[in-house]
Structures are given as C-alpha cells and as structure tokens.
Amino acid sequence: MPKRRDILAIVLIVLPWTLLITVWHQSAIAPLLAIRKDDGVEGKREAGGQAQDSREYCASDKDIVEVVRTEYVYTRPPPWSDVLATIHVITPTYSRPVQKAELTRLANTFLHVPNLHWILVEDAQRRTPLVTRLLRETGLNYTHLNVETPKNYKLRGDTRDPRIPRGTMQRNLALRWLRETFNANSSQAGIVYFADDDNSYSLELFEEMRSTRKVSVWPVAFVGGLRYESPKVNAAGKVYGWKTVFDPHRPFAIDMAGFAINLRLILFKPQAYFKLRGVKGGYQESSLLRELVTLSDLEPKAANCTKILVWHTRTEKPVLVNEGKKGFTDPNVEI
C-alpha cells in the first residue's frame, strides 16, 4: 500500500499539469463558443424564442466558414475608379471554331483590370448571337460593333500573307466610335489599346500603359520570326530604332500589340486612321502612328523595353477531320 508521502508527491506533480491543460483548452475554444452563443441568440430572436436543436451546431459552423471565406472573395471586374484612366481595348474578331475560346480567355484577363472598356468589333454583316451572349455574360463594360470586310480585302491563300490588312476596317470603326462618343475637350482620361483575340497579356501591361501621355511602346514576343521584337532605347530613355529583322527601316517597326495611345491624341487628330489602300505588309501600324507622333515622342514602358508583357501566342487551328461533310457532332452546341 503506497505511503501518504508518495501519494502527496503524485498529487503535487499531476495537479499543476491538470490546471495548465484546462486553462489552455478553455482559451482555445472560447472564441468559437462566443460565436456560437451569438448565433444562438440571433436564432432565438428570429424563431420567436424557440429552443435550438442539434442543427444549430451545423449552422454555426457554416457561418464561421463563410466569415473566413469572405476575405478571399473579390468582385470581377474590379469597382470602377474615378481616379484611374479608362483603358479602351479595341479587339477585332471573326467567326471561326476557336473564336469563343479565344474571347473567353481574353475576357478572363480583362476581368482583372480596373477601368477597362472593351470595344469588340465583329467582321460580319450583323452582330452574332455567340459574341452577344459572351459579352453579356462577362459582366465587363463593353461596346459591341460590327462591320464586314469587303471580299477583295479578305484573306486568300497563305494565311501568313502580310499584304492582307486583316482587322483594319474593324479597328477603324472603333476609332470612329470613340471620336463620335467622346468630346476632345473632355477632361476624362483615357488610353486606347489594340488587343487582338489571339494574344496573351500580362496584367502588368495594362498598368504600364495607363500613364501614357502620347504613345507608349514595349516589346512583343513571338513575332517577326524572333523570340521578341522591341524598340531600341538609349541611355537617356529615348526610342531611337527597332530591334527587328523584318524591314527595320519602317517608320514604326512595331507589332499591333506593342503600343498604346492617349485618347486625347486620337480625338485631336481625327485624320488618323489605319490605311486600307497603298500600304505594304507590316506598315499598318506605321500608317496610323505617323499621323500621331514622331519617333522622339514615343514613351518606352516595361522597364525601358526590357520586359516581355505580351505574347503573340495564337491558338492552334483545331483538326476536325472526323466531323465529315455532314458533321458528326451536334452543330447546335456552341463551342
């Protein structure tokens, strides 16, 4: 039989640990109990004083999870700001198997950009239901236009033929819409950017262009047979030429995705459009920019044109040989 001295020793050892564990356990569950208690009180008020059954525990747990989850919920698109300049993104598009996929990917990028206005222009006789529905469902601020390119300007033969000014009439219609919609003397700040639907864009790019005073420029990847094409920038931060192989002596040897224009410049120079006739392949960008600025006016962005923020990726053309002439799958299913 243990001696009293041994029993006292055991009690003195166990008692402090028991008290410590009890205090720790109460401090850990106290916040949860408080939340459940508050929920129970509100539940009683709503139910007219009825007793809470076992479902109260589940409801309280759900509320706790939802409170934590709200910290990670963001609105898309972001709330409109009266301080930021509006970015007017002009995108020409045309019907093809990958059109919806391209526009969906592009819309998912735009949903993260504050103060973005998407001007989507279809190369079609009328606005199509597919694009109409897609735009409506995005929740973006948009304008939906259409103009069909005449047959003599449409692509024929090799899809890489640079002489065909694809998207030119659509971009020009968007420029005309901007001039008819906004007053040149308006104080509203805006930036105009031509974003084709087959490119990939970093969110950083849109914040870079937002401070454009006249025309800002940056590199574009996967164009001209190179890893990237870029403006040449000197130590003073001025553009003095072009890092490209294809016709580097063009006035503005730059890809359509490689520049942005201040809206006021577009409004104050109504004669500036992309030319349809008498323009060699690769000169479409120059036909517009030479009406707006000179080389010395260009503002290099993307860390003095050392960072790649846009890629001319192009979606691979899908192989649909098993569809046959009549079509194997249901043509009414929108892809």
Side-chain angles (χ1 to χ4, degrees):
M1 188 171 180
K3 296 179 180 180
R4 292 183 178 179
R5 185 178 58 186
D6 295 337
I7 294 173
L8 182 61
I10 293 171
V11 170
L12 291 175
I13 292 171
V14 173
L15 185 59
W17 283 103
T18 304
L19 291 172
L20 182 63
I21 292 171
T22 302
V23 171
W24 173 83
H25 180 68
Q26 288 180 347
S27 64
I29 67 169
L32 294 180
L33 291 174
I35 292 174
R36 289 176 56 193
K37 183 178 179 181
D38 291 342
D39 290 342
V41 171
E42 290 179 4
K44 287 177 182 178
R45 288 173 184 168
E46 293 175 0
Q50 292 181 359
Q52 298 297 300
D53 57 16
S54 59
R55 288 176 296 179
E56 179 188 359
Y57 180 81
C58 298
S60 299
D61 276 357
K62 182 181 178 182
D63 291 343
I64 292 168
V65 171
E66 288 179 350
V67 167
V68 175
R69 191 175 296 158
T70 54
E71 297 178 8
Y72 305 98
V73 175
Y74 304 96
T75 57
R76 293 284 177 259
W80 200 266
S81 169
D82 295 330
V83 178
L84 296 175
T86 301
I87 299 176
H88 302 278
V89 178
I90 296 172
T91 301
T93 187
Y94 64 99
S95 179
R96 61 200 190 278
V98 298
Q99 182 186 29
K100 186 177 180 181
E102 300 273 36
L103 293 176
T104 298
R105 177 169 50 84
L106 195 55
N108 289 341
T109 298
F110 293 164
L111 282 168
H112 294 267
V113 182
N115 285 38
L116 185 139
H117 171 219
W118 195 9
I119 306 176
L120 192 59
V121 191
E122 291 194 70
D123 186 348
Q125 287 185 344
R126 59 187 61 85
R127 288 172 287 184
T128 63
L130 184 150
V131 176
T132 301
R133 278 193 300 270
L134 185 145
L135 284 171
R136 189 187 307 122
E137 291 170 1
T138 62
L140 288 164
N141 183 9
Y142 69 88
T143 296
H144 188 188
L145 306 172
N146 70 285
V147 59
E148 186 177 31
T149 303
K151 289 183 179 180
N152 57 316
Y153 283 112
K154 285 195 174 179
L155 190 65
R156 291 193 295 267
D158 189 352
T159 57
R160 296 168 297 179
D161 189 345
R163 294 172 296 174
I164 306 298
R166 173 178 282 172
T168 302
M169 292 189 68
Q170 289 71 38
R171 296 184 188 102
N172 281 346
L173 178 61
L175 290 175
R176 191 179 80 186
W177 183 90
L178 286 170
R179 289 175 174 130
E180 291 174 352
T181 304
F182 296 98
N183 191 318
N185 297 317
S186 173
S187 59
Q188 183 179 3
I191 308 298
V192 179
Y193 181 54
F194 302 97
D196 289 349
D197 59 9
D198 58 354
N199 293 345
S200 300
Y201 304 89
S202 166
L203 295 179
E204 185 181 350
L205 176 67
F206 298 97
E207 298 314 311
E208 287 280 308
M209 71 175 70
R210 210 182 289 273
S211 61
T212 301
R213 296 186 300 274
K214 287 186 176 181
V215 174
S216 55
V217 293
W218 48 80
V220 179
F222 311 142
V223 290
L226 299 172
R227 292 176 64 244
Y228 67 92
E229 289 182 342
S230 173
K232 291 181 179 179
V233 182
N234 60 25
K238 286 291 191 179
V239 176
Y240 67 92
W242 309 98
K243 191 181 295 183
T244 179
V245 173
F246 171 68
D247 201 351
H249 300 295
R250 286 173 287 165
F252 295 91
I254 192 170
D255 186 78
M256 195 70 70
F259 64 93
I261 307 167
N262 190 293
L263 176 62
R264 278 193 168 186
L265 195 59
I266 294 289
L267 300 179
F268 276 110
K269 304 234 177 167
Q271 80 285 358
Y273 280 101
F274 293 101
K275 288 183 171 52
L276 276 171
R277 297 177 177 83
V279 180
K280 292 194 301 181
Y283 279 74
Q284 280 295 314
E285 296 84 353
S286 295
S287 72
L288 174 71
L289 292 175
R290 70 195 312 172
E291 298 289 337
L292 299 171
V293 288
T294 61
L295 196 66
S296 62
D297 292 321
L298 299 180
E299 307 155 36
K301 301 290 186 180
N304 269 345
C305 295
T306 61
K307 291 177 68 175
I308 305 299
L309 300 177
V310 55
W311 300 261
H312 205 6
T313 43
R314 301 180 184 178
T315 300
E316 181 180 2
K317 186 177 180 181
V319 179
L320 305 174
V321 292
N322 290 331
E323 284 291 340
K325 292 182 179 179
K326 294 184 178 179
F328 182 81
T329 57
D330 186 352
N332 296 315
V333 175
E334 190 176 275
I335 61 169

